Amino acid sequence: MAKRFKKFYVEITSVCNLACSFCPPTQRAAGFIKVEDFEKRLDEIKPFTDYIYFHLKGEPLMHPKLDQLLDLSAEKGFKVNLTTNGTLLNKAKHRLVNKPALRQMNISLHSFDGHPGSTDKEQYVTDVLSFLKEMNATSQVIFSLRLWNLTQDNMTNKERQRNRELLSMIEREFGLDYHIEEQVIPGSGLKLAERVYLNQDYEFNWPDLKEEEDLSRGFCHGLRNQAGILVDGTVVPCCLDGEGVINLGNLNEQPFAEIIEGERATRLVDGFSRREVVEELCRKCGYRQRFNLKEQEQTVS
């Protein structure tokens, strides 16, 4: 039986309309996946997953044939989770409505403050919430509003106010009788309404070969319950290898089933099974440390 992945990231474009401080710009060539190539990739990964994520780098709402990609996903039996910065929802709305493949939309609200050129926060939030309200009334799509910009010194008054303006607008829209900060737990979702959640978490550093190495033992779910394909067909072990540093192979040259059984993929998985971090990029990944902390907490408890 084929190995199953809970999350399978399919990058449909490497192009983004923002330049956020928390998201390193890709050094790869700009590209949009062709519909015929997308269909081939769905056929390749169908034995391995039922859920695909339009995410890695790039803004998926920029793809001019997003509606066709969603239709193909439905035809092949996939459910789609889509991550967006939310700035193009009005322009792309006609490509999103009445799409049975669309299961969940993650809207990264922290993109507004993260992008130096952002203006008119109130209009941005109003547009996002209006879109959400319209979709929520006519579909079963789940919405996760993300604010992944907390800092470890979030107890200071300045940091407490960082998201207050934005959260106030959300509280008014959903008629909440409490301050969201009083209820939300970093890393967990707070239910605002039916199929609508707010998720706050700490900002993290993307893995980068220029970062300092963490030589401690560790674990990650890369290639264990997730994998990814960049727009050019490069297979990577997780959603954070946005540059294809851990290049496991290319779908244009080799079947996916062979790629994930290859030497490099096997070494990575076996290493994490022993809590050994064999790839240099993984040793320089701040997000991986979250798994280590969880394991330590479980050991203590």
Side-chain angles (χ1 to χ4, degrees):
M1 181 178 292
K3 181 179 182 179
R4 303 292 288 182
F5 294 92
K6 293 180 180 179
K7 299 179 180 180
F8 209 115
Y9 298 91
V10 180
E11 184 184 71
I12 62 174
T13 179
S14 58
V15 180
C16 188
N17 62 320
L18 300 186
C20 296
S21 58
F22 56 82
C23 184
T26 181
Q27 301 303 312
R28 295 180 284 120
F32 292 85
I33 197 169
K34 297 178 180 178
V35 174
E36 55 268 30
D37 289 338
F38 180 76
E39 183 172 14
K40 291 176 183 176
R41 287 175 197 176
L42 293 187
D43 290 337
E44 285 273 353
I45 67 176
K46 182 57 184 172
F48 301 90
T49 191
D50 296 318
Y51 297 93
I52 53 177
Y53 290 64
F54 288 179
H55 183 48
L56 245 147
K57 285 292 185 74
E59 169 53 55
L61 299 192
M62 293 187 69
H63 200 293
K65 297 184 178 180
L66 175 62
D67 49 346
Q68 294 183 43
L69 304 186
L70 287 170
D71 289 341
L72 265 175
S73 299
E75 289 175 20
K76 303 286 184 179
F78 288 97
K79 289 296 184 182
V80 175
N81 289 7
L82 185 153
T83 298
T84 173
N85 59 45
T87 59
L88 303 175
L89 288 172
N90 284 338
K91 291 182 179 179
K93 181 166 59 175
H94 65 287
R95 297 192 175 100
L96 296 167
V97 295
N98 299 320
K99 297 300 180 185
L102 192 57
R103 173 187 175 271
Q104 179 170 325
M105 290 188 65
N106 305 314
I107 303 175
S108 299
L109 298 179
H110 50 278
S111 299
F112 186 90
D113 287 333
H115 178 64
S118 294
T119 58
D120 200 348
K121 181 184 290 188
E122 185 170 358
Q123 187 61 55
Y124 166 71
V125 177
T126 297
D127 288 345
V128 168
L129 296 180
S130 295
F131 170 84
L132 187 156
K133 193 172 183 179
E134 181 179 344
M135 287 283 286
N136 202 31
T138 59
S139 75
Q140 296 297 306
V141 175
I142 300 167
F143 287 91
S144 173
L145 301 176
R146 292 179 171 179
L147 275 172
W148 288 6
N149 60 359
L150 298 179
T151 61
Q152 294 298 331
D153 60 348
N154 207 53
M155 295 306 293
T156 66
N157 288 332
K158 181 180 179 180
E159 291 300 329
R160 280 182 178 275
Q161 293 300 315
R162 185 175 192 181
N163 296 316
R164 181 88 295 269
E165 180 184 359
L166 188 151
L167 293 176
S168 293
M169 287 184 269
I170 294 175
E171 289 162 2
R172 288 196 299 271
E173 176 67 27
F174 291 99
L176 304 182
D177 59 359
Y178 57 85
H179 280 180
I180 289 173
E181 301 100 307
E182 299 169 356
Q183 302 288 332
V184 73
I185 299 173
S188 301
L190 176 68
K191 187 174 182 178
L192 304 177
E194 194 64 32
R195 299 186 302 281
V196 181
Y197 299 85
L198 179 84
N199 186 287
Q200 284 196 269
D201 212 334
Y202 295 103
E203 188 172 327
F204 65 90
N205 293 325
W206 281 68
D208 191 312
L209 293 178
K210 297 177 182 178
E211 294 291 330
E212 184 178 347
E213 279 200 19
D214 174 9
L215 298 176
S216 63
R217 295 167 65 81
F219 177 77
C220 179
H221 292 290
L223 281 188
R224 195 170 298 270
N225 69 8
Q226 65 173 278
I229 308 172
L230 301 181
V231 70
D232 66 354
T234 300
V235 175
V236 293
C238 75
C239 63
L240 293 179
D241 187 2
E243 294 304 294
V245 174
I246 307 176
N247 184 340
L248 302 174
N250 194 291
L251 285 183
N252 297 322
E253 303 165 0
Q254 190 179 8
F256 179 76
E258 291 183 8
I259 291 174
I260 60 166
E261 296 296 335
E263 181 181 353
R264 191 170 190 179
T266 301
R267 278 197 310 112
L268 184 147
V269 174
D270 289 348
F272 280 129
S273 295
R274 302 187 302 269
R275 301 308 188 259
E276 294 179 7
V277 188
V278 300
E279 288 284 349
E280 180 183 1
L281 187 70
C282 298
R283 294 195 295 270
K284 298 180 176 182
C285 176
Y287 199 85
R288 177 181 60 82
Q289 296 170 358
R290 297 187 180 190
F291 300 123
N292 299 344
L293 288 173
K294 288 180 180 179
E295 283 197 336
Q296 291 170 12
E297 291 170 358
Q298 291 170 359
T299 300
V300 171
S301 60

